[in-house]
Amino acid sequence: MLLLNILPKGISDALKVEHRTIAEEYPAVSILFADVVGFTPMAAKMAPMELVDLLNRVFLCFDGLVEKYDLEKIKTIGDCYMVASGVPRSRPDHATALVNLALDMQAAVAGTRFGGRQLAFRIGINSGPVVAGIIGRKKFIYDLWGESVNLASRMESHGRTRCIQITGNTYELVKDAFHCEAMGIIEVKGAGQIEVWHVLDGKKPGNGGSLSANAARLN
C-alpha cells in the first residue's frame, strides 16, 4: 500500500522484482503544473505549521480530482503541483482529461477558502513526448523528463492569474472540446517565441457540460 501511494502500480510491481533503472519513452503525454499566485509574500506572514496545513488542504483537494480522472500525480515542489496524463498507461484522451482536471481545479479553488484565505492559481499545460520512470536507488520517485515537461512548466510560470495556459501542441488536441482564446505569441525562456492559448471555463455543446459543480462537491 505504501508503494502504491508513491508509485504507479505497474512501476511498483516492476521495482519489486527488477534491480535496474526503470524508464520508458512515451510519444503522447500531457503535463500540468499548477502554482499558487503570490505564495512567497503570503508564506512570509504565516507560521510554518499554518502554511503546511494550508498546502495540505489544497493538495488533498487536488488529489481527489486527480483520482477522479485516473491521472498520475507526479510530485509537489513547494507550492507547485505536477500531474501527468498518458503515463504510465497511454490514453488517447490524455490532453482532454488533463484540461478537464485543470478546469475543476480552478473551480474548486474559486469556490473554497483554504485556511480562511482565498487562493489563486496559475496553471500551464503542454503535450508531447517524454521519458518517464525512476532513477537512483534511494528516496526515488516516478518522474518525467524532456522538453515537453520544461515547456509545461514555462506555461505555468509565464501564465496569468486564474488562467489555464496551453501550448499549440495541447490546443490542437483539445480545440474541438473546449472554448480556447488565442493569446498570441509570448517569449518563453529557453524556448523562444511560443504561440499560446487560454482555456476558458466552459465546454462546447455536446461535450458533457461543466464539471465545476462536481469539483465543488469534493470540498
Side-chain angles (χ1 to χ4, degrees):
M1 289 182 66
L2 178 60
L3 278 174
L4 291 176
N5 277 326
I6 301 172
L7 305 170
K9 185 179 186 306
I11 302 300
S12 66
D13 290 343
L15 196 64
K16 287 187 289 185
V17 298
E18 300 180 43
H19 299 283
R20 62 176 179 83
T21 298
I22 298 176
E24 188 172 348
E25 293 185 44
Y26 296 87
V29 175
S30 290
I31 309 103
L32 176 150
F33 284 88
D35 192 77
V36 180
V37 176
F39 178 77
T40 299
M42 179 182 70
K45 300 176 183 178
M46 299 176 67
M49 288 306 299
E50 182 187 9
L51 178 63
V52 170
D53 182 66
L54 181 145
L55 289 176
N56 185 54
R57 289 173 181 269
V58 175
F59 292 161
L60 281 175
C61 170
F62 289 175
D63 287 350
L65 294 172
V66 168
E67 185 176 355
K68 170 185 172 181
Y69 287 108
D70 194 24
L71 302 174
E72 197 64 45
K73 175 184 176 181
I74 302 301
K75 58 187 173 183
T76 59
I77 312 163
D79 62 312
C80 184
Y81 191 89
M82 179 183 176
V83 184
S85 178
V87 291
R89 299 175 305 279
S90 61
R91 54 188 293 179
D93 66 338
H94 59 90
T96 301
L98 206 57
V99 170
N100 273 326
L101 171 70
L103 288 170
D104 276 12
M105 289 169 70
Q106 291 286 38
V109 170
T112 307
R113 294 181 70 85
F114 296 93
R117 299 172 184 269
Q118 186 67 61
L119 303 180
F121 275 77
R122 290 186 304 266
I123 296 179
I125 300 175
N126 180 43
S127 304
V130 303
V131 173
I134 296 172
I135 58 175
R137 298 298 297 271
K138 295 184 178 180
K139 296 184 179 179
F140 46 73
I141 64 169
Y142 185 72
D143 209 348
L144 275 61
W145 300 274
E147 185 56 34
S148 297
V149 180
N150 297 335
L151 193 51
S153 177
R154 297 300 187 204
M155 287 299 98
E156 178 275 310
S157 62
H158 288 65
R160 298 181 184 177
T161 301
R162 297 185 178 88
C163 289
I164 301 167
Q165 184 159 272
I166 64 175
T167 62
N169 295 334
T170 302
Y171 172 73
E172 290 300 322
L173 296 172
V174 304
K175 63 182 180 181
D176 294 330
F178 302 96
H179 291 291
C180 299
E181 180 181 5
M183 302 305 296
I185 295 175
I186 64 172
E187 186 70 26
V188 176
K189 181 180 179 181
Q193 294 188 328
I194 299 291
E195 191 171 9
V196 299
W197 284 259
H198 285 175
V199 179
L200 305 182
D201 189 10
K203 298 181 179 181
K204 292 183 179 180
N207 195 47
S210 175
L211 296 170
S212 300
N214 293 332
R217 281 196 292 271
L218 288 173
N219 297 281

